[in-house]
Amino acid sequence: MRQYLPFVLSSAVLAATGCNSIHPDGAAATLPGEELYRSCEPCHGGAGEGNPSIAAPAIAGHPAWYVEAQLVKFRSGIRGAHPDDYEGLRMRPMSRQLYTQAEIKAVAEHVSKLPVQKAAPTITGDAAAGAVSWGTCQACHGVDGKGNPAVNAPPLAGQNDWYLLTQLKKFKAGIRGTNPDDTTGGTMRPMSMTLADEQAMKNVIAHINTLSR
Amino acid sequence: MISKYLEAGSTYAGDIDSLILLILAVVGFWGLLAEVVFFGLIFKFAEKEGVKALYVTGEDPKEKRWVSIPHYLTLIFDVMIIIGALRVWAEVKLDMPQADETVRVTAQQWAWTFTHPGPDGKLDTEDDIRTVDELHVEVGKTYHFELASRDVLHSFSVPIFRLKQDIVPGRIIKGWFKPVITGTYDIQCTEICGIGHGLMPAKIVISEAGKHQAWVKANAGVAAVAAPVSGSTGGMP
Ligand SMILES: [Cu+2]
């Protein structure tokens, strides 16, 4: 018997290597939002505070309806699929880690429950001049910048200011909000046109920085 | 020979397959033989009642032969494989046949942007067609490609062409292919490039001249076309 031991052992190893075929077909079970959020942590941070070095914005406390809508947009190529949307193209594949509508809802729900993180200002501008431009914006984003679900406008107060600037530039350049299926982005795009140049954008952002959430 | 079982999409795919087959045959034959000898010796000299273990120094020419003959054979077969490999290397990497068209491939974390020349056949003009995650080519045409990265190392791999080329940030790396079949096939990144590495698949659409030209006409100068993820809302139920 003992002389067959090498043969038995090597067969056992061969058999074992063929046994690790677990298929994550995803559709099977919906994970809880907290667990799904782990795949977002490397960029958006454990507390959803965002990370400027990867250009990932704060999402903690964002309303669930907005997070859900954006995730669906990223997934279906309505946002973050323009060749010049460098950061959006980075978020796009991440949205594909969510397999079902139920998973998107679950993670959006979890994100909305995270306490809002106060972002430190990095942009300086003429807040007084910005307050004038804000007159246009508040119709949708609210006087205090807390957003308005009735017009699909997200909260802007408390958001990373560098992120607000890149988004305004993207809207204006037609990198975001130009997809024919992007109806809500399509309403925001003409608004970005009301800001004449980068300085005007910085001014309105300086005003947003004075609003608290 | 193997093309009956494995689709070959480019002019050089078959030659690369033959090379791999050659390596498989050489290494496979001698590898199996070595295992047979190895296990044969293990069973032949297994522990036996009343026989003492013997220390072998390997100085006796009769014993040394077990090492030196395989050694020389290895060298001979190595040369065989190297000659085969160099011939394919020259064909795929050193030769650059005249291009009918040039496409630009830009990789980033984690997407592919393809720039097609548009109806005028020239890059960097108004009618260029840029797409995300979808490359369109015409069957039977010779293409040059220019690889660029916006951030880190990536690798442009088109399995149906047996093509794989690293992309190095700061450099433009050129190569070529000539599709010989039509259909839609995978493009993948084959260099770990961050947490989204496994999530950056793209497609190559190889069409007949008429169909391809129609696509070029329809998309010429359109700012951007993103490949839809299969199904609505990205294939979600
Ligand atoms: Cu990559």
Side-chain angles (χ1 to χ4, degrees):
Chain A
M1 181 59 218
R2 206 189 280 165
Q3 60 178 328
Y4 292 110
L5 206 58
F7 180 71
V8 172
L9 278 180
S10 51
S11 316
V13 169
L14 280 178
T17 50
C19 284
N20 54 2
S21 48
I22 300 156
H23 293 290
D25 58 10
T30 298
L31 297 166
E34 194 182 352
E35 203 157 314
L36 289 165
Y37 185 72
R38 296 220 182 102
S39 65
C40 324
E41 278 182 10
C43 299
H44 292 286
E49 75 277 19
N51 181 351
S53 65
I54 331 180
I59 52 173
H62 258 30
W65 58 266
Y66 177 71
V67 174
E68 184 184 336
Q70 298 306 308
L71 288 174
V72 170
K73 283 191 200 186
F74 278 117
R75 259 208 78 117
S76 43
I78 295 171
R79 179 179 171 188
H82 189 285
D84 294 326
D85 194 352
Y86 181 64
E87 300 84 8
L89 285 170
R90 206 183 273 157
M91 175 57 211
R92 171 172 134 104
M94 297 303 137
S95 66
R96 292 187 191 151
Q97 298 183 87
L98 304 163
Y99 287 101
T100 61
Q101 195 72 43
E103 287 191 344
I104 289 186
K105 271 194 159 40
V107 78
E109 203 61 50
H110 176 76
V111 167
S112 71
K113 294 208 175 92
L114 295 170
V116 175
Q117 299 291 315
K118 186 130 185 66
T122 62
I123 286 174
T124 47
D126 183 348
V132 178
S133 316
W134 182 251
T136 325
C137 320
Q138 62 187 15
C140 296
H141 291 284
V143 180
D144 49 8
K146 287 197 168 73
N148 180 1
V151 290
N152 300 302
L156 301 178
Q159 179 58 285
N160 298 110
D161 51 11
W162 49 264
Y163 171 74
L164 297 177
L165 182 60
T166 54
Q167 297 310 304
L168 286 175
K169 285 184 182 165
K170 283 183 194 180
F171 276 120
K172 200 167 174 189
I175 293 168
R176 182 176 168 188
T178 38
N179 187 298
D181 293 326
D182 192 358
T183 45
T184 54
T187 58
M188 175 55 213
R189 187 163 136 71
M191 300 305 137
S192 64
M193 306 288 194
T194 66
L195 301 166
D197 51 22
E198 186 168 338
Q199 193 53 51
M201 293 177 184
K202 285 183 170 167
N203 292 347
V204 76
I205 290 168
H207 174 74
I208 295 172
N209 274 342
T210 65
L211 307 171
S212 65
R213 223 177 121 203
Chain B
M1 162 172 40
I2 194 163
S3 56
K4 217 168 99 190
Y5 306 99
L6 202 60
E7 258 185 314
S10 70
T11 44
Y12 49 65
D15 297 323
I16 292 179
D17 288 346
S18 305
L19 174 64
I20 289 174
L21 213 58
L22 169 77
I23 297 171
L24 179 74
V26 170
V27 176
F29 174 77
W30 291 107
L32 282 178
L33 192 68
E35 289 305 299
V36 168
V37 171
F38 180 68
F39 279 100
L41 292 177
I42 287 178
F43 285 115
K44 190 166 173 214
F45 295 105
E47 178 191 12
K48 282 193 194 84
E49 201 68 52
V51 181
K52 215 168 161 250
L54 189 69
Y55 181 69
V56 179
T57 58
E59 274 160 8
D60 180 353
K62 256 169 86 189
E63 289 161 356
K64 237 169 87 181
R65 275 209 299 261
W66 288 91
V67 175
S68 51
I69 293 178
H71 185 188
Y72 293 128
L73 282 175
T74 303
L75 287 179
I76 292 169
F77 282 105
D78 262 1
V79 170
M80 227 169 101
I81 289 174
I82 288 170
I83 290 172
L86 284 180
R87 281 172 53 179
V88 174
W89 180 266
E91 179 193 1
V92 179
K93 300 279 186 182
L94 300 183
D95 261 10
M96 267 294 246
Q98 191 71 36
D100 296 313
E101 211 156 83
T102 300
V103 289
R104 192 170 293 143
V105 178
T106 311
Q108 73 157 78
Q109 288 174 319
W110 295 278
W112 301 93
T113 301
F114 301 104
T115 311
H116 310 73
D120 68 357
K122 283 195 213 79
L123 279 177
D124 299 315
T125 52
E126 286 269 293
D127 66 354
D128 283 2
I129 305 170
R130 287 195 303 160
T131 55
V132 169
D133 292 350
E134 204 170 274
L135 172 61
H136 286 253
V137 295
E138 186 181 318
V139 67
K141 264 194 180 175
T142 302
Y143 285 86
H144 282 187
F145 56 79
E146 298 179 358
L147 305 178
S149 167
R150 281 173 170 162
D151 37 45
V152 298
L153 286 174
H154 297 273
S155 184
F156 180 59
S157 160
V158 190
I160 194 74
F161 291 169
R162 314 292 186 270
L163 167 64
K164 191 186 273 187
Q165 173 61 56
D166 277 7
I167 308 176
V168 183
R171 282 178 61 189
I172 305 286
I173 295 175
K174 296 182 183 177
W176 71 281
F177 59 78
K178 182 173 176 182
V180 293
I181 55 171
T182 58
T184 302
Y185 298 95
D186 292 338
I187 293 175
Q188 58 193 11
C189 179
T190 46
E191 180 65 54
I192 298 279
C193 58
I195 60 172
H197 168 65
L199 299 164
M200 58 181 289
K203 293 273 174 219
I204 181 165
V205 181
I206 313 168
S207 319
E208 297 289 350
K211 216 172 134 200
H212 179 72
Q213 291 312 325
W215 179 85
V216 170
K217 239 201 198 130
N219 291 283
V222 175
V225 197
V229 188
S230 49
S232 64
T233 62
M236 277 187 306

